Amino acid sequence: KNEVEQSPQNLTAQEGEFITINCSYSVGISALHWLQQHPGGGIVSLFMLSSGKKKHGRLIATINIQEKHSSLHITASHPRDSAVYICAALNTGNQFYFGTGTSLTVIP
Amino acid sequence: KAGVTQTPRYLIKTRGQQVTLSCSPISGHRSVSWYQQTPGQGLQFLFEYFSETQRNKGNFPGRFSGRQFSNSRSEMNVSTLELGDSALYLCASSWTSGTIYEQYFGPGTRLTVT
């Protein structure tokens, strides 16, 4: 069993839809990261969370430490949001564990 | 300011050889982390350096090593290359102060081992 599980693996949405990507982890963490990877490999660090909620533009990330669960929400999705979204848990031993990613396609 | 740069961008090596990859972090960032990405295993953490010291290490064999210089530039070395080492190697530099955290990834070095 992976330490970090993401769902769904693949997601197709119509432009403008509200999108949620989920991440569950089994390790004790000091922080949880959300990353975005576009075709061609470039990775962007979106959020680092240790509690609560963070918002940046149309992106919102939440974390529930008790339930060991985090969500990434995209409001008013746009084709340029099409990418792979990766959840990464930094455990209390400062070791990173990555989810396998959610491939998002937003159709105009 | 300039982003994270990695050199070379592409590399082809043969089994048994060794390779050195380089990463220049964003100015002012003292932490550099290295990651391996393969289609089968996804992203995996290799190690992190901070102020010339290895601070964290992932579960990779001793053939994978790294170092960081006083200007925060970092190198990673893989000795006795195996076919399974073919991957995209990414480095990221980061900076943190209180609740502020910045992390930027480089474009990666795509290594092919034949």
Side-chain angles (χ1 to χ4, degrees), chain B residues 27-44:
Chain B
S27 176
H29 286 194
R30 291 162 63 189
S31 170
V32 174
S33 300
W34 287 91
Y35 304 89
Q36 181 197 64
Q37 188 176 39
T38 60
Q41 299 292 322
L43 263 172
Q44 293 183 279

Side-chain angles (χ1 to χ4, degrees), chain B residues 37-54:
Chain B
Q37 188 176 39
T38 60
Q41 299 292 322
L43 263 172
Q44 293 183 279
F45 171 69
L46 280 156
F47 26 66
E48 182 208 4
Y49 285 86
F50 182 85
S51 293
E52 302 179 65
T53 301
Q54 188 181 84

Side-chain angles (χ1 to χ4, degrees), chain A residues 1-4 6 8-9 20 25 27 32 39-41 53-54 57 62-64 68 71 74 90 94 96 104-105:
Chain A
K1 186 184 184 298
N2 292 333
E3 290 83 0
V4 178
Q6 278 186 247
Q9 273 193 299
T20 295
Y25 53 90
V27 296
L32 187 120
K53 174 177 164 178
K54 284 191 176 179
T62 63
I63 189 166
N64 184 318
K68 294 191 172 181
S71 293
I74 304 175
L90 180 65
N94 280 330
F96 269 106
L104 170 66
T105 303

Side-chain angles (χ1 to χ4, degrees), chain B residues 92-105:
Chain B
S93 75
S94 62
W95 176 84
T96 184
S97 176
T99 58
I100 300 170
Y101 174 82
E102 290 183 347
Q103 183 183 50
Y104 295 92
F105 282 79

Side-chain angles (χ1 to χ4, degrees), chain B residues 3-49:
Chain B
V4 178
T5 57
Q6 289 187 247
T7 57
R9 293 291 311 278
Y10 302 92
L11 200 50
I12 300 174
K13 290 283 191 179
T14 55
R15 274 181 300 176
Q17 287 187 312
Q18 68 94 26
V19 67
T20 299
L21 311 181
S22 180
C23 173
S24 292
I26 287 176
S27 176
H29 286 194
R30 291 162 63 189
S31 170
V32 174
S33 300
W34 287 91
Y35 304 89
Q36 181 197 64
Q37 188 176 39
T38 60
Q41 299 292 322
L43 263 172
Q44 293 183 279
F45 171 69
L46 280 156
F47 26 66
E48 182 208 4
Y49 285 86

